[in-house]
């Protein structure tokens, strides 16, 4: 791999792509960043002031990016996730979309789309558009680093067909203290071997912590919701999502999955800084002026897993950065 690369980072969030290359020891000489969330933009502008901010992915022209080596993306997952709405990639009239070609035709006709998971087709549009132009002009073709959640097989197959790449399932639990399964499509992983379990425990990164726990709603026989405690047994944190949890001040009742049990058997709510550490970020990485705590938590839950400290393979080991490292070897 080149020791320095140019990337197009779509749905950039807090800059997981940039961090992946950084901790894999590869310089990003130029970064085009596509992001529209105001809080994420503040964090990105703080950490990457020299990046080229290109705006909404839906307005990008492939001709603008013929110099890139990688397209990096983790498009919105809420309508794909098996834990989410599971409505898939649809129009606002509930018409399911199964190809990039069909999506572009509907877009050009002025159709509206439901949710945000349909934006995968913008990733596909740019990926193939850029590569086709690079091929036409005799330029090296960009590779893709695309990540998304575990989803119904129907939608996984749509993504696989459109990218013409097979996914791998990567659980960050192998290389971090967080259980976080994700699907990953890339040219880099077609002969990819998963790393050995590094046996990193929650207590290794959060002092006194033993296991992640959560309080998920259940209905009793009378149809009334209650929130029993569920404790993990693998010494890992639950997968971070866009909210940590809450505790009712008057009753002490707890909601959500962002808790852990300590050595005393006490249930504690993760702090934002602990969530950052579980994602492999530096403590306070998302603490930027005019970015609320709510926005920070959402950004962390939506982001890529980056293990910045691990040296077991002389690299970071998030899904993306581990793959980059393997290619570098």
């Amino acid at each position: 791999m080149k020791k320095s690369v140019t990337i197009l980072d779509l749905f950039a969030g807090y800059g997981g792509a940039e961090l992946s290359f950084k901790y894999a020891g590869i310089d990003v000489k130029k970064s085009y960043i596509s992001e529209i969330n105001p809080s994420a933009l503040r964090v990105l502008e703080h950490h990457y002031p020299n990046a080229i901010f290109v705006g909404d992915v839906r307005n990008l022209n492939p001709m603008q990016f013929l110099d890139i080596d990688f397209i990096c993306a983790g498009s919105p997952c809420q309508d794909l996730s098996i834990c989410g709405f599971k409505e898939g990639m649809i129009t606002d009239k509930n018409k399911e979309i199964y190809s990039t070609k069909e999506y572009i035709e509907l877009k050009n006709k002025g159709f509206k789309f439901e949710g945000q998971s349909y934006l995968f087709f913008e990733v596909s549009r740019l990926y193939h558009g850029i590569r086709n132009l690079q091929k036409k002009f005799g330029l090296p073709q960009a590779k893709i680093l695309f990540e998304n959640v575990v989803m119904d097989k129907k939608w996984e197959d749509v993504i696989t067909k459109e990218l013409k790449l097979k996914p791998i399932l990567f659980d960050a639990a192998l290389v971090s203290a967080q259980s976080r399964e994700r699907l990953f499509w890339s040219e880099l992983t077609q002969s990819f071997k998963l790393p050995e379990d590094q046996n990193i425990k929650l207590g290794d990164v959060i002092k006194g912590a033993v296991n992640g726990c959560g309080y998920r709603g259940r209905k009793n026989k009378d149809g009334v919701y209650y929130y029993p405690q569920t404790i993990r047994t693998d010494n890992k944190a639950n997968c971070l999502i866009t909210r940590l949890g809450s505790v009712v001040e008057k009753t002490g009742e707890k909601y959500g999955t962002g808790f852990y049990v300590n050595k005393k058997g006490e249930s504690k709510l993760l702090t934002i800084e602990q969530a950052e550490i579980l994602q492999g970020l530096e403590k306070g990485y998302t603490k930027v002026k005019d970015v609320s705590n709510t926005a920070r938590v959402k950004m962390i839950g939506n982001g890529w897993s980056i293990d910045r400290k691990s040296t077991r393979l002389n690299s970071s080991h998030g899904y993306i950065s581990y793959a980059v490292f393997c290619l570098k070897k």
Side-chain angles (χ1 to χ4, degrees):
M1 175 183 278
K2 296 179 182 178
K3 291 185 178 180
S4 62
V5 296
T6 295
I7 68 172
L8 170 58
D9 190 3
L10 307 176
F11 315 100
Y14 51 59
E18 284 77 5
L19 288 171
S20 294
F21 283 98
K22 174 183 176 180
Y23 295 124
I26 298 166
D27 177 55
V28 177
K29 63 182 177 182
K30 184 191 290 186
S31 177
Y32 297 102
I33 290 180
S34 174
E35 178 59 69
I36 61 173
N37 180 275
S39 295
L41 282 170
R42 291 188 183 96
V43 171
L44 289 164
E45 289 165 353
H46 176 79
H47 290 286
Y48 307 105
N50 296 322
I52 301 169
F53 292 85
V54 295
D56 193 326
V57 65
R58 292 168 291 190
N59 300 328
L60 301 186
N61 185 336
M63 187 64 78
Q64 297 173 270
F65 309 107
L66 299 189
D67 59 337
I68 68 166
D69 300 296
F70 286 94
I71 299 171
C72 306
S75 58
C77 64
Q78 286 82 358
D79 296 299
L80 296 173
S81 172
I82 57 175
C83 298
F85 304 126
K86 295 200 294 185
E87 292 181 346
M89 296 182 273
I90 60 175
T91 69
D92 62 350
K93 305 298 183 184
N94 290 322
K95 174 180 171 57
E96 294 184 335
I97 311 163
Y98 296 109
S99 73
T100 308
K101 179 181 178 182
E102 181 184 12
Y103 165 73
I104 292 172
E105 290 174 350
L106 292 171
K107 179 182 176 182
N108 290 339
K109 290 177 181 178
F111 275 71
K112 304 298 182 183
F113 302 92
E114 187 69 24
Q116 292 184 316
S117 291
Y118 75 90
L119 289 170
F120 157 74
F121 291 117
E122 292 288 353
V123 177
S124 178
R125 174 183 70 85
L126 288 167
Y127 172 59
H128 292 297
I130 292 167
R131 283 170 57 87
N132 288 340
L133 287 169
Q134 288 173 327
K135 183 178 181 180
K136 177 181 177 181
F137 293 119
L139 300 171
Q141 288 184 286
K143 295 178 173 64
I144 194 167
L145 299 165
F146 181 74
E147 177 253 10
N148 215 295
V149 295
V150 177
M151 62 189 75
D152 284 345
K153 190 66 165 55
K154 176 175 74 173
W155 296 112
E156 178 186 327
D157 289 345
V158 168
I159 294 174
T160 297
K161 180 180 178 182
E162 292 304 295
L163 295 183
K164 299 180 175 63
L165 295 166
K166 294 180 180 180
I168 63 162
L169 180 66
F170 198 128
D171 189 347
L174 291 175
V175 293
S176 77
Q178 178 192 179
S179 176
R180 192 176 182 86
E181 287 190 331
R182 292 293 184 270
L183 291 167
F184 178 35
W185 290 258
S186 177
E187 289 90 350
L188 309 191
T189 61
Q190 298 309 287
S191 58
F192 183 81
K193 293 183 179 179
L194 294 174
E196 294 181 2
D197 190 345
Q198 304 300 306
N199 196 30
I200 301 172
K201 296 180 172 61
L202 183 56
D204 294 335
V205 296
I206 298 176
K207 186 176 180 179
V210 178
N211 273 304
C213 74
Y215 301 84
R216 297 174 174 86
R218 300 284 189 273
K219 282 185 178 180
N220 64 20
K221 61 182 181 180
D222 298 319
V224 178
Y225 273 99
Y226 67 107
Y227 293 82
Q229 184 187 59
T230 303
I231 303 176
R232 303 184 67 92
T233 59
D234 57 359
N235 303 121
K236 302 289 184 179
N238 286 325
C239 179
L240 293 169
I241 58 175
T242 55
R243 55 193 180 279
L244 292 177
S246 61
V247 182
V248 179
E249 187 174 348
K250 290 184 178 180
T251 65
E253 191 172 20
K254 298 174 180 178
Y255 305 86
T257 58
F259 294 83
Y260 68 89
V261 173
N262 64 18
K263 292 179 179 179
K264 297 179 181 180
E266 300 166 327
S267 174
K268 300 288 186 179
L269 179 64
L270 288 168
T271 66
I272 298 175
E273 289 74 19
Q274 288 168 339
E276 287 174 325
I277 292 168
L278 285 169
Q279 280 289 61
L281 302 174
E282 295 179 0
K283 182 179 177 181
Y285 179 90
T286 61
K287 191 175 183 179
V288 173
K289 184 180 179 181
D290 296 326
V291 176
S292 69
N293 286 342
T294 299
R296 290 175 66 192
V297 171
K298 184 174 181 179
M299 201 181 312
I300 293 165
N302 279 332
W304 283 355
S305 174
I306 308 296
D307 184 0
R308 66 186 176 87
K309 290 185 176 181
S310 178
T311 57
R312 291 173 177 81
L313 295 174
N314 300 313
S315 174
S316 62
H317 299 88
Y319 323 112
I320 307 302
S321 31
Y322 182 77
V324 170
F325 171 77
C326 286
L327 182 68
K328 184 184 176 187
K329 291 202 299 181

